[in-house]
Amino acid sequence: MPIRAKEGRATKWLIEGDDVLRRSLMKRTEKKKDIQKERVHDQPLKTTIEANISDLKQILGDPDDLVVRYFTVGDKEHAAAIVYINGLIDTALVQNNILENLQTKTLELKEKEAVTLFDQLYREFISVADTEKSSTMEKVLSTLLSGGTVFYLDGISEILVLNTAGGENRSIEEPVSESLIRGPRAGFIEDIGTNAAMIRREIHDPSLRMKTHQIGERSKKTLAVFYIDGVIHPEILAEMNRRLDSINIDSAIDSGYVEEWIEDSFLSPFPQIINTERPDKSAAAILQGKAVILVDGSPFALIAPIALGNVLQSPEDYYERWMIGSFIRLLRYLGAFFSLFLPGLYIALVSYHQDLIPSELAFSIAATREGVPFPVVVEAALMVITMEFLREAGARLPQTIGQTIGIVGGLVIGDAAVQAGIVSPIMVIVIALTAIATFSIPLYSVAIAFRLIRFAIMIGAAIFGLYGIVLVYIMVNIHIVNLKSFGIPYSTPFAPTFKHDWKDLVIRAPLTTLVKRPSFLQTKDQRRGEKA
Amino acid sequence: MKSFKYGDEKITDKEILIAVPSMIIGVGVLSLPKQITETTTAADGWISILAAGLFTMVMIWLTGKLAASFPNQPFITYTSTLVSRPVAMFLSFSYGVIGICLAALIMRTLTNIAKQYLFTQTPSEMIALAFLLVVVYAVAGSRAGLFRLNMMFFPIIFFITFMVLLFNMRWADPNNFLPVFQSDIRGYLNAATDSVMAYMGATIFLFYVFLVKQPEKTPKMLALGMGFPIAFYLIVFFLCLTVFGNVATSNMVYPVIELAKRVEITGGILERIESLFFVVWIMAVFNSTALAIDTSLLALQPLFKKVSKEKILFTISPIIFFIGMFPEDFKELQDFQSIFGIIATAYSYIMVIVLFIIMKVRGVGGSG
């Protein structure tokens, strides 16, 4: 169904961003939900094992990795079965704590009635911590598919679902995308249980809350929101839960799916939620009054709400001494400036405002450009796109070959291009400097956004010179002041101004002076340290 | 516990404080020293600038006082209480027209300067259109966003201006001050009229005070904010005068940009920074234009209740463009500027005074 064309939709987009679009999408998904409800397997279970198992096999299509183990319990030899999917469970747990107990220790049981026997088994014989009774097919399915084991007893329509999820996990390693020189070395892995534990290990506060949601229509995935009750602003939390409940997708393969569903504006190049592989960074965000979202199967946690200042911060700013932290942060701001403006400025200066360049420099630029057949815009576009290719190729290839690409691409092609007279050496310097500056931005998703804006600035510079650059710059600012992250203006704490937050914005003041949590988050407990 | 409210459409006193210089400082000041020195001798013009500034400060305080007496009421509502609904509608409509003309005027002046200092080849229409589109994009966004833009651009504008002024200090020749008090009264008056027009835009806050949640301190903030342009105009005037001298200043079209031209940063990457200064100045001009257009939106919206904000905006922006492109050359633009300036400023100040008197006589309005 196409999105309903509304009168003045195009203009609405400008104003409320994509809220209109989002709403119409939601309307669409609500309808879909109604249809799906009818398909859900919520019929009650039958009383015989045979009937139940054949129903189950029919729904699942009798997969080969579905293990059904029949056995008998008790003196009266009641038929029973456990069902699980091979590979998803912790085999040792199922063998030692379920099967062995049920087969050997129940021999003495004289119970005749299935109902009371079932109850006794639940209370005394099944030694799995996370066990509950249930009686719907839906529960059976969700348990099996998420690595649980289901216990059937003949003659009763109730079952036990046992959480026996296991299987292989990657071990905890140093995060690849955010390596630090100083700071904890641990990074999140794909398993949400381990990740949650890593956050809990950082924050021992009894007010630390973990609220789970199940998302995905076809594949239910666990998603957990972490926050500190009494610190986070309740409206932010309510809004976050509302948005998480509105997610309607088949499955969240990675936290990126969740991010795109719950962010404020998907028409913006700027991330309104930042992702991190680092438990320490997540914990610091939670302590500031933000919320952290973990999605099962993704090593990237989501941090929200954020503001513009956050995108250029790195945990290391806080681990090194404050002067060094501040210096590095200033350097990063400079890097961001170069990354955005350098190619655009070069284009504007060389093709429109040669008079601004000091005469000696102007001569040397003119000398190097001699024989270059293209206008400077084409030259720059050529180099920037080559740079993007190199970057993408380097990231995709195995690490050892990736380095070769860097050398072949960067050095050989760059040098050959200059020798062939296609580009000027100064252009190579400009582009290389831009690329290096981009690498100084700590978050990959922010660096991508900057790359996009750099193109816009280059186009502006090509059409209008410096005038074009400033117009694009103003447009980016307009976009930023209208952008929000969970209701918090993206441009804060610059505007709306929170002076206290400036201590931890462009510079990082000594920790001893950062006595308050960021004011822009409007936390309930405003002071760090002592408890209210 | 403070509730989570700063993200909504309200504006704070701090934003009002910055909005005043953002509105007033625009293209006017770039040619102000020229206009002043045309009618006064030596540095005498500063008296006119100061007097006009103080006058505007009083007016902006009255504006704030008037609007703040009716907290959280838009212009049309409280003027209806004061002078009946039809008159209020007329006043509102006239403000809509003033806003449109003001925006057109600023846009055209900017275009002319850009043509003079940045590119001579590009047609004026393209320069103006690009600028206007960016402004429309800003006005189409949230109103609080405009004030946030003011806050974000203000430090940049302040910094570049400060640098230009600082680097010009060494050329300043105090002898250019002399002789003092040689101008005649007519000269002072002419200069003062020009200055009042350079401070144009003070009364737009009639429309904005209702966005302030608790406007008790707003009149004070407005008057305080007025201090920035006064100080800025005075400093700029003194520098132009001491650097260039009276006669030279009166012969330049935009003496302030010429100031930037003289800056030489030794070992710098840029040789002449007047283009750079002007480019940053576009941000200041942008702020003024955006607020002017937004004012006319605020003024026109209550008159056409069924029409959405965007529709009004998309109707008036072509009008702004055509009015702006109407003057054929620099001479016609100047005529347009002076006629419109006198009518608009006189009209709006008289209106504020009359409304204020009516409010006091009838004793309506809150405690302010």
Side-chain angles (χ1 to χ4, degrees):
Chain A
M1 193 185 99
I3 301 159
R4 200 154 48 92
K6 254 175 124 182
E7 205 183 6
R9 199 182 81 205
T11 62
K12 280 263 170 56
W13 275 27
L14 281 172
I15 293 88
E16 299 153 32
D18 355 66
D19 226 37
V20 175
L21 192 65
R22 182 190 299 284
R23 246 177 274 142
S24 66
L25 273 174
M26 271 181 192
K27 244 180 234 161
R28 195 161 59 133
T29 53
E30 267 161 29
K31 257 186 205 157
K32 209 172 134 205
K33 252 184 190 161
D34 292 340
I35 303 165
Q36 262 199 345
K37 279 253 164 68
E38 295 156 21
R39 268 200 344 208
V40 166
H41 319 279
D42 51 359
Q43 73 259 44
L45 291 168
K46 300 184 174 126
T47 45
T48 61
I49 290 186
E50 290 309 319
N52 278 329
I53 300 284
S54 73
D55 277 359
L56 180 65
K57 281 188 172 167
Q58 196 204 333
I59 291 170
L60 289 177
D62 196 8
D64 293 335
D65 57 354
L66 183 77
V67 179
V68 184
R69 174 72 166 84
Y70 296 98
F71 54 94
T72 56
V73 278
D75 191 34
K76 301 284 178 284
E77 308 218 323
H78 281 277
I82 56 169
V83 179
Y84 58 87
I85 290 180
N86 203 7
L88 291 181
I89 57 150
D90 182 347
T91 323
L93 182 74
V94 173
Q95 275 173 3
N96 301 337
N97 296 18
I98 305 172
L99 213 50
E100 198 184 322
N101 285 1
L102 290 175
Q103 285 178 321
T104 58
K105 294 185 183 165
T106 57
L107 293 175
E108 309 294 310
L109 277 178
K110 301 267 188 292
E111 196 57 65
K112 270 187 194 168
E113 288 295 314
V115 184
T116 41
L117 177 65
F118 183 75
D119 221 36
Q120 198 167 8
L121 291 175
Y122 171 62
R123 276 189 279 108
E124 294 170 17
F125 291 93
I126 292 188
S127 357
V128 174
D130 186 2
T131 303
E132 59 177 306
K133 291 180 188 175
S134 177
S135 56
T136 61
M137 186 54 104
E138 197 189 359
K139 186 75 192 172
V140 171
L141 291 170
S142 67
T143 309
L144 285 178
L145 294 172
S146 58
T149 302
V150 179
F151 170 73
Y152 290 96
L153 187 67
D154 202 38
I156 180 170
S157 68
E158 259 188 314
I159 48 145
L160 289 180
V161 293
L162 319 159
N163 184 5
T164 53
E168 291 304 307
N169 268 327
R170 189 163 64 95
S171 60
I172 295 173
E173 288 160 17
E174 195 178 346
V176 184
S177 70
E178 294 165 274
S179 51
L180 295 184
I181 295 169
R182 183 172 173 181
R185 294 272 183 241
F188 285 130
I189 60 166
E190 280 77 7
D191 178 46
I192 193 171
T194 316
N195 292 350
M198 284 165 96
I199 290 184
R200 284 232 183 251
R201 253 173 240 150
E202 296 271 358
I203 305 174
H204 298 273
D205 191 339
S207 320
L208 177 70
R209 298 280 181 272
M210 171 186 173
K211 186 171 168 14
T212 57
H213 296 250
Q214 299 293 325
I215 53 163
E217 294 297 321
R218 293 211 166 269
S219 167
K220 290 253 181 291
K221 278 252 177 124
T222 311
L223 174 153
V225 185
F226 282 87
Y227 57 92
I228 294 182
D229 194 28
V231 173
I232 194 171
H233 193 285
E235 272 183 49
I236 294 174
L237 191 66
E239 177 63 17
M240 184 171 286
N241 283 327
R242 188 187 70 77
R243 288 188 196 176
L244 285 173
D245 287 336
S246 78
I247 295 179
N248 185 19
I249 45 178
D250 273 350
S251 174
I253 307 290
D254 185 80
S255 55
Y257 284 57
V258 177
E259 176 180 351
E260 209 162 321
W261 262 91
I262 63 172
E263 68 187 353
D264 290 59
S265 163
F266 51 78
L267 293 179
S268 172
F270 291 97
Q272 298 122 57
I273 296 168
I274 50 179
N275 56 66
T276 180
E277 274 189 279
R278 306 192 64 91
D280 52 330
K281 190 173 176 181
S282 311
I286 294 173
L287 286 170
Q288 278 185 342
K290 294 172 186 162
V292 166
I293 300 171
L294 292 177
V295 181
D296 195 18
S298 171
F300 287 94
L302 303 175
I303 299 175
I306 58 154
L308 191 58
N310 292 123
V311 303
L312 289 177
Q313 291 173 355
S314 159
E316 205 168 21
D317 302 350
Y318 302 93
Y319 301 153
E320 273 301 341
R321 293 174 51 253
W322 76 273
M323 273 190 211
I324 292 123
S326 300
F327 171 72
I328 292 173
R329 208 177 262 182
L330 277 169
L331 205 68
R332 227 176 269 141
Y333 273 83
L334 193 68
F337 177 81
F338 272 13
S339 160
L340 285 174
F341 290 104
L342 200 59
L345 275 177
Y346 181 74
I347 293 173
L349 287 180
V350 172
S351 52
Y352 284 92
H353 314 284
Q354 295 95 339
D355 50 333
L356 256 81
I357 313 170
S359 29
E360 281 141 45
L361 185 60
F363 283 132
S364 59
I365 290 178
T368 59
R369 276 192 52 72
E370 204 165 320
V372 175
F374 308 115
V376 68
V377 187
V378 178
E379 198 188 339
L382 210 70
M383 283 311 285
V384 169
I385 290 171
T386 314
M387 198 65 224
E388 297 290 323
F389 280 144
L390 279 176
R391 205 190 150 118
E392 196 57 24
R396 299 293 153 240
L397 285 169
Q399 243 175 4
T400 40
I401 311 177
Q403 284 171 358
T404 324
I405 283 288
I407 294 165
V408 172
L411 297 178
V412 178
I413 295 187
D415 192 49
V418 171
Q419 296 270 318
I422 299 174
V423 292
S424 65
I426 291 202
M427 179 56 84
V428 176
I429 297 175
V430 166
I431 299 301
L433 201 58
T434 312
I436 295 169
T438 313
F439 286 123
S440 74
I441 297 165
L443 283 168
Y444 181 65
S445 50
V446 179
I448 305 178
F450 279 23
R451 274 148 78 183
L452 288 180
I453 295 165
R454 183 195 309 150
F455 279 110
I457 288 177
M458 281 169 66
I459 294 169
I463 302 174
F464 279 123
L466 279 178
Y467 184 65
I469 293 181
V470 83
L471 288 187
V472 175
Y473 174 73
I474 292 176
M475 277 173 69
V476 171
N477 273 287
I478 296 170
H479 174 70
I480 285 175
V481 294
N482 284 311
L483 192 63
K484 286 182 177 182
S485 169
F486 289 87
I488 286 188
Y490 207 62
S491 51
T492 193
F494 293 106
T497 320
F498 290 97
K499 282 233 184 64
H500 177 269
D501 295 357
W502 288 20
K503 280 199 235 167
D504 185 14
L505 189 64
V506 183
I507 60 154
R508 201 275 287 170
L511 286 177
T512 42
T513 65
L514 296 174
V515 288
K516 283 184 181 169
R517 290 177 217 284
S519 322
F520 78 85
L521 292 168
Q522 304 268 297
T523 48
K524 277 160 93 183
D525 176 20
Q526 293 189 348
R527 293 188 75 79
R528 288 181 163 125
E530 71 226 65
K531 271 194 181 171
Chain B
M1 187 196 92
K2 269 189 276 178
S3 75
F4 184 68
K5 279 288 172 270
Y6 75 88
D8 59 16
E9 278 287 280
K10 293 285 176 189
I11 52 180
T12 61
D13 277 339
K14 223 182 291 168
E15 283 164 330
I16 280 281
L17 179 73
I18 299 298
V20 178
S22 301
M23 176 65 209
I24 288 171
I25 300 177
V27 285
V29 63
L30 297 180
S31 57
L32 180 72
K34 169 205 161 72
Q35 294 165 342
I36 303 283
T37 45
E38 271 176 348
T39 51
T40 55
T41 53
D44 290 352
W46 70 270
I47 302 172
S48 304
I49 297 181
L50 186 64
L54 292 176
F55 168 71
T56 315
M57 197 185 245
V58 173
M59 292 314 298
I60 203 168
W61 184 82
L62 280 182
T63 303
K65 203 75 186 153
L66 176 66
S69 304
F70 304 89
N72 302 321
Q73 281 185 34
F75 179 76
I76 190 96
T77 317
Y78 66 79
T79 40
S80 297
T81 328
L82 290 174
V83 289
S84 83
R85 184 140 181 104
V87 180
M89 281 172 80
F90 173 75
L91 292 179
S92 200
F93 181 75
S94 61
Y95 250 93
V97 175
I98 290 178
I100 289 173
C101 291
L102 184 59
L105 188 66
I106 302 175
M107 179 191 75
R108 182 57 199 271
T109 317
L110 177 88
T111 309
N112 276 13
I113 307 174
K115 225 168 147 53
Q116 188 173 340
Y117 286 93
L118 285 180
F119 11 64
T120 42
Q121 312 275 311
T122 319
S124 302
E125 286 80 7
M126 286 312 293
I127 303 173
L129 188 66
F131 178 72
L132 188 66
L133 285 177
V134 173
V135 178
V136 167
Y137 176 44
V139 180
S142 76
R143 195 152 278 142
L146 283 185
F147 285 85
R148 284 179 207 146
L149 278 175
N150 291 339
M151 298 282 279
M152 288 176 88
F153 290 158
F154 188 73
I156 305 176
I157 298 162
F158 181 81
F159 175 75
I160 190 91
T161 319
F162 182 75
M163 292 305 283
V164 166
L165 298 179
L166 194 73
F167 279 106
N168 267 291
M169 283 300 208
R170 59 172 161 157
W171 283 288
D173 177 7
N175 288 330
N176 282 327
F177 272 116
L178 304 170
V180 287
F181 304 124
Q182 295 295 310
S183 317
D184 54 357
I185 291 296
R186 186 184 293 270
Y188 282 125
L189 278 179
N190 273 336
T193 323
D194 285 334
S195 312
V196 167
M197 275 192 272
Y199 290 117
M200 192 156 57
T203 49
I204 64 151
F205 292 96
L206 282 174
F207 291 86
Y208 284 110
V209 174
F210 89 98
L211 288 170
V212 183
K213 222 179 210 168
Q214 285 153 339
E216 291 89 31
K217 270 162 63 187
T218 308
K220 209 175 104 195
M221 284 296 161
L222 285 171
L224 216 63
M226 197 56 212
F228 286 103
I230 296 176
F232 177 66
Y233 284 16
L234 281 175
I235 295 171
V236 163
F237 175 72
F238 280 140
L239 259 179
C240 280
L241 203 98
T242 47
V243 171
F244 299 121
N246 186 304
V247 180
T249 307
S250 67
N251 281 318
M252 291 168 175
V253 187
Y254 300 110
V256 181
I257 302 183
E258 299 298 324
L259 270 188
K261 218 173 194 169
R262 299 201 56 153
V263 176
E264 274 173 32
I265 306 168
T266 34
I269 307 171
L270 297 177
E271 194 167 51
R272 290 162 45 196
I273 69 160
E274 91 270 11
S275 310
L276 197 69
F277 169 75
F278 174 65
V279 158
V280 173
W281 203 254
I282 291 172
M283 293 182 201
V285 178
F286 162 84
N287 280 339
S288 311
T289 322
L291 283 177
I293 297 183
D294 195 49
T295 309
S296 62
L297 274 187
L298 270 173
L300 293 176
Q301 229 175 335
L303 309 181
F304 309 97
K305 276 211 174 108
K306 282 187 186 154
V307 191
S308 66
K309 175 183 164 186
E310 302 86 59
K311 274 190 191 147
I312 299 180
L313 178 63
F314 292 144
T315 318
I316 65 170
S317 20
I319 301 177
I320 293 172
F321 184 72
F322 284 120
I323 295 178
M325 287 298 118
F326 193 66
E328 291 267 315
D329 49 24
F330 188 69
K331 179 80 185 51
E332 281 188 33
L333 179 66
Q334 270 192 324
D335 290 346
F336 173 44
Q337 188 173 0
S338 48
I339 295 170
F340 166 74
I342 289 173
I343 295 176
T345 30
Y347 174 78
S348 51
Y349 287 153
I350 291 170
M351 186 185 91
V352 169
I353 294 172
V354 171
L355 284 178
F356 192 79
I357 292 172
I358 293 176
M359 183 184 81
K360 280 293 160 202
V361 170
R362 290 180 53 188
V364 283
S367 56

